Amino acid sequence: MSDSKLAGQFFDAAIGLLQRVRDEDAGEIAAAGTLIADTVADGGRLFAFGAGHSSLAAQDIVYRAGGLALMNLLAVPGVVGVDVMPATLGSALERVDGLASAVLDSSPVRSGDVLVIISLSGRNALPVEMAMNARALGVKVIGVTSVAYASETRSRHVSGTYLKDHCDIVLDSRIAVGDAELTLDAIEAPFAPASTVVTTALLQAVMATAAGALADRGIEPPLLRSGNVDGGHEWNSRVMTEYGDRIFYRH
């Protein structure tokens, strides 16, 4: 099989998943966008969390040109991305009980805020505990996960529950268990994951919905512009000054 044929198959798989979430998650996307708009309008703050590769989607909506300036990254040391050494440590930390509690207790997250939690499997202790504890604080939780994992894997949290069980809104990425879209007889393991493509698209759709909902209410969405276009830095400085008490990545 030619490389170009495999590339085409991956694009087809990714496009198919994007079409599914567009159609099947439409109600949840609208609800999540409305919740974020409500929170911005009411003076609340926005946070996003993901561990390992799920952190890529969280980072994609923080301090991003065209994105809401108020979205902050809730970072857990050792699990944001794969830059920790060894990289396997991040995966191990996701299974540690109590870590989420310690992070939330020392974070600026408070009642009335929104926390987006991204976890493909939703089965590890860290995202489950993060969602449970955040809601106990009065924080609204938007979970981005593959619901399929709840029926095909065993939870690693002591409660036996999954991220999806502790969210106000669940965005289902529809990613198959194992996160690999392609197989080939000559290759033993499945390959070509699409979760990042789909999860980032889901969240950007939510952010777009939120911006539109704010505009419909006569509120200028606090959006960032690219620093690589003329006037971008000046625009961003104005937005960050106006909303400085809700932006934590500058301190």
Side-chain angles (χ1 to χ4, degrees), residues 27-36 38-39 109-117 127-128 130-145 162-172:
E28 289 78 11
I29 291 169
T34 299
L35 175 57
I36 288 175
D38 290 344
T39 304
V109 177
R110 68 187 185 191
S111 179
D113 293 345
V114 164
L115 173 59
V116 178
I117 300 178
V128 174
M130 187 77 76
M132 293 175 69
N133 289 14
R135 293 182 86 191
L137 291 172
V139 175
K140 297 291 187 182
V141 175
I142 298 171
V144 189
T145 187
Y162 298 77
L163 170 60
K164 73 174 187 64
D165 299 316
H166 305 285
C167 300
D168 295 278
I169 299 168
V170 176
L171 301 175
D172 185 358

Side-chain angles (χ1 to χ4, degrees), residues 57-80:
Q59 294 178 60
D60 191 58
I61 55 173
V62 175
Y63 186 51
R64 182 67 188 263
L68 291 175
L70 305 193
M71 185 62 73
N72 300 277
L73 185 68
L74 183 63
V76 177
V79 304
V80 180

Side-chain angles (χ1 to χ4, degrees), residues 223-238:
L223 297 168
L224 294 173
R225 290 182 180 269
S226 171
N228 296 314
V229 299
D230 292 342
H233 287 299
E234 292 76 14
W235 173 281
N236 293 342
S237 178
R238 176 184 66 81

Side-chain angles (χ1 to χ4, degrees), residues 45-64:
R45 292 89 62 82
L46 308 174
F47 298 87
F49 164 76
H53 287 95
S54 289
S55 180
L56 296 174
Q59 294 178 60
D60 191 58
I61 55 173
V62 175
Y63 186 51
R64 182 67 188 263

Side-chain angles (χ1 to χ4, degrees), residues 95-153:
R95 299 192 289 272
V96 174
D97 292 323
L99 182 56
S101 300
V103 169
L104 280 174
D105 288 347
S106 60
S107 79
V109 177
R110 68 187 185 191
S111 179
D113 293 345
V114 164
L115 173 59
V116 178
I117 300 178
I118 304 149
S119 173
L120 178 61
S121 72
R123 68 187 297 221
N124 288 312
L126 184 54
V128 174
E129 183 182 294
M130 187 77 76
M132 293 175 69
N133 289 14
R135 293 182 86 191
L137 291 172
V139 175
K140 297 291 187 182
V141 175
I142 298 171
V144 189
T145 187
S146 172
V147 172
Y149 275 82
S151 60
E152 299 182 40
T153 67

Side-chain angles (χ1 to χ4, degrees), residues 12-25 198:
D12 287 343
I15 290 167
L17 284 163
L18 290 171
Q19 290 174 331
R20 282 194 67 192
V21 298
R22 179 194 64 190
D23 297 339
E24 298 174 22
D25 284 18
V198 176

